[in-house]
């Protein structure tokens, strides 16, 4: 018993020192936790109890959802691109005098083609006595009927992007003056016999 009384002060002193050391460690750990929370708030903002692991999981889920959405849009874009390729995106008009007795370029041929060079060629032949409309179909540049020279021209212009008008001038460039309409062709085509048209005409 005497021995315990002798070492009791030392034990109490050791316990006090240990308590002080533990208190210092707790204070330092609390400071580290506060600094970590401040850094987390700086990175994540105010998100309540969510930590970096939860935030990373949320980001992974969002990325997965975004990947699925992009995969779904890929099919939609492919279908839209196919629809656009079949749209009449190439067009051109050629006007001309089909008969000698009619001037003013009253006849015309129109090409309406898609990106695969498929579409329609519409020709309107105007004379004093009648007006006729001819429609021919193209499939990948191959017509279902022979084309007249004017129709060949209008198809070529549509495929090369010719619109019949000059390109818009750039900034600061004045537009080009319009060219006066030229006189009718010196040798207009002779009128065909009644009820018949030449093979090369539409």
């Amino acid at each position: 018993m005497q021995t315990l009384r002798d070492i009791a002060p030392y034990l109490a002193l050791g316990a006090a020192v240990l308590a002080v050391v533990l208190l210092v460690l707790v204070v330092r750990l609390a400071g580290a936790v506060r600094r970590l929370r401040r850094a987390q708030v700086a990175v994540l903002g105010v998100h309540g109890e969510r930590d970096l692991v939860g935030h990373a999981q949320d980001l992974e889920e969002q990325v997965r959802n975004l990947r699925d959405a992009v995969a779904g849009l890929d099919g939609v874009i492919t279908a839209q691109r196919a629809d656009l390729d079949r749209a009449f995106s190439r067009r051109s008009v050629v006007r001309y005098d089909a008969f000698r007795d009619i001037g003013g370029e009253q006849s015309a041929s129109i090409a309406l083609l898609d990106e695969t060079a498929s579409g329609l060629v519409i020709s309107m032949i105007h004379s004093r006595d009648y007006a006729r409309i001819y429609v021919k179909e193209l499939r990948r540049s191959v017509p279902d009927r022979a084309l007249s020279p004017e129709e060949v021209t209008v198809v070529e212009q549509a495929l090369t992007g010719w619109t019949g008008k000059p390109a818009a001038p750039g900034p600061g460039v004045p537009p080009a003056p319009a060219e006066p309409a030229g006189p009718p062709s010196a040798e207009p085509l002779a009128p065909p016999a009644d009820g018949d048209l030449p093979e090369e005409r539409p």
Side-chain angles (χ1 to χ4, degrees), residues 117-181:
S118 301
L120 302 174
V121 178
I122 305 172
S123 294
M124 293 155 285
I125 306 301
H126 179 74
S127 71
R128 292 185 183 277
D129 299 327
Y130 60 85
R132 295 181 180 178
I133 297 179
Y134 299 87
V135 179
K136 299 178 182 179
E137 184 179 8
L138 271 74
R139 292 185 180 274
R140 297 189 178 276
S141 299
V142 179
D144 60 346
R145 291 173 175 80
L147 300 179
S148 69
E150 292 82 6
E151 290 172 336
V152 171
T153 300
V154 78
V155 169
E156 291 176 349
Q157 291 178 356
L159 293 178
T160 56
W162 188 87
T163 60
K165 296 182 179 180
V173 180
E179 297 182 0

Side-chain angles (χ1 to χ4, degrees), residues 14-81:
V17 172
L18 181 61
V20 170
V21 172
L22 291 176
L23 179 61
V24 172
L25 290 176
V26 168
V27 171
R28 295 189 61 181
L29 288 175
V33 170
R34 284 196 299 270
R35 289 193 297 271
L36 179 60
R37 288 188 177 277
R38 286 196 299 269
Q40 178 173 310
V41 170
V43 175
L44 304 179
V46 181
H47 292 288
E49 298 298 328
R50 188 173 64 176
D51 56 6
L52 289 173
V53 175
H55 184 65
Q57 291 177 346
D58 291 343
L59 289 179
E60 182 180 1
E61 183 178 358
Q62 293 175 9
V63 170
R64 187 184 305 110
N65 294 336
L66 181 61
R67 188 183 300 113
D68 295 340
V70 170
L73 286 176
D74 185 55
V76 175
I77 293 175
T78 301
Q80 293 291 339
R81 185 181 295 113

